[in-house]
Amino acid sequence: MSDITYPNTSTDNAASRGSHIEVVDSSGKPLLVMPSATAHEQRLAMKSVFVLIYNKQGKFFLQRRSDNKALAPGMWDISAATHVGADEALEAAAERVLRKELNIPSVSLHYQKSQQERIDDSTLWISLYSANIGTKTLSPNPDEVQDGLYVDAEELQSLYEHFPSMLTPVLVWAIRANIIFTTSA
């Protein structure tokens, strides 16, 4: 993106580049690059990818976020989600979060749609992907995910009805928007 200025970073600070994201307008067009924490503090619209993982039986994988996470520690969440890094392709961000959180080195991703949503106090330009991992066994990264389980539509609805305080705002949005069991993995 030639029209975006990136912060001056030294090679010693190269790892910090991953924490810079694009702030976007209501159509998802990048406006500027800034640290993720600053964008959150100012409640600016950010690009995100959500990845919905299914197994051979069509059950949906829920992750339970690590207790060490800054946002929603210990809560049940969608399979994987992340903000898109500055100048990072959407599918590359989806692949990155799957490697980082669930140790999935490669999988066939299916793009579903992109849309702007207001979730909790955040405005997100969400690009939604799904993947069916068949019979592969997941090995979640304990720094990111402390537990996980596969659920069918009825089990997910029961969790939503009986334990809503244990679900992240993103998972609640996904259930209410009826996107989890209507996508094609």
Side-chain angles (χ1 to χ4, degrees), residues 3 6 11 15 71 99 126:
D3 60 338
Y6 290 86
T11 53
L71 298 174
R99 280 189 310 274
I126 300 165

Side-chain angles (χ1 to χ4, degrees), residues 119-133:
I119 300 175
D120 215 15
D121 285 336
S122 298
T123 301
L124 304 173
W125 184 261
I126 300 165
S127 293
L128 181 66
Y129 290 86
S130 65
N132 188 314
I133 64 165

Side-chain angles (χ1 to χ4, degrees), residues 25-183:
D25 67 13
S26 62
S27 64
K29 180 181 181 250
L31 298 173
L32 58 104
V33 172
M34 68 173 42
S36 175
T38 304
H40 274 285
E41 288 169 9
Q42 296 180 15
R43 292 185 167 84
L44 301 173
M46 301 167 267
K47 277 195 224 176
S48 296
V49 293
F50 293 176
V51 184
L52 309 178
I53 299 292
Y54 301 88
N55 66 10
K56 185 178 179 179
Q57 293 78 31
K59 288 188 171 189
F60 172 67
F61 181 77
L62 287 175
Q63 69 153 278
R64 187 162 173 229
R65 295 171 58 84
S66 168
D67 284 332
N68 299 323
K69 299 292 275 185
L71 298 174
M75 296 179 79
W76 290 98
D77 201 357
I78 64 171
S79 307
T82 190
H83 291 303
V84 179
D87 207 27
E88 182 179 33
L90 296 171
E91 192 165 323
E95 291 168 347
R96 172 178 52 80
V97 73
L98 289 175
R99 280 189 310 274
K100 180 181 177 186
E101 293 183 356
L102 302 176
N103 290 312
I104 298 175
S106 67
V107 67
S108 178
L109 290 169
H110 303 280
Y111 172 79
Q112 302 296 323
K113 61 182 173 180
S114 293
Q115 64 191 52
Q116 183 178 351
E117 290 293 335
R118 182 111 175 118
I119 300 175
D120 215 15
D121 285 336
S122 298
T123 301
L124 304 173
W125 184 261
I126 300 165
S127 293
L128 181 66
Y129 290 86
S130 65
N132 188 314
I133 64 165
T135 59
K136 288 182 187 174
T137 302
L138 295 176
S139 301
N141 175 351
D143 293 334
E144 301 287 331
V145 179
Q146 67 177 312
D147 201 1
L149 68 130
Y150 284 97
V151 296
D152 62 25
E154 185 177 310
E155 293 164 327
L156 183 61
Q157 187 62 34
S158 182
L159 282 170
Y160 173 70
E161 290 173 6
H162 299 289
F163 304 102
S165 65
M166 295 176 65
L167 311 180
T168 65
V170 167
L171 180 57
V172 169
W173 166 80
I175 293 167
R176 288 180 181 162
N178 197 31
I179 64 165
I180 295 174
F181 286 103
T182 57
T183 62

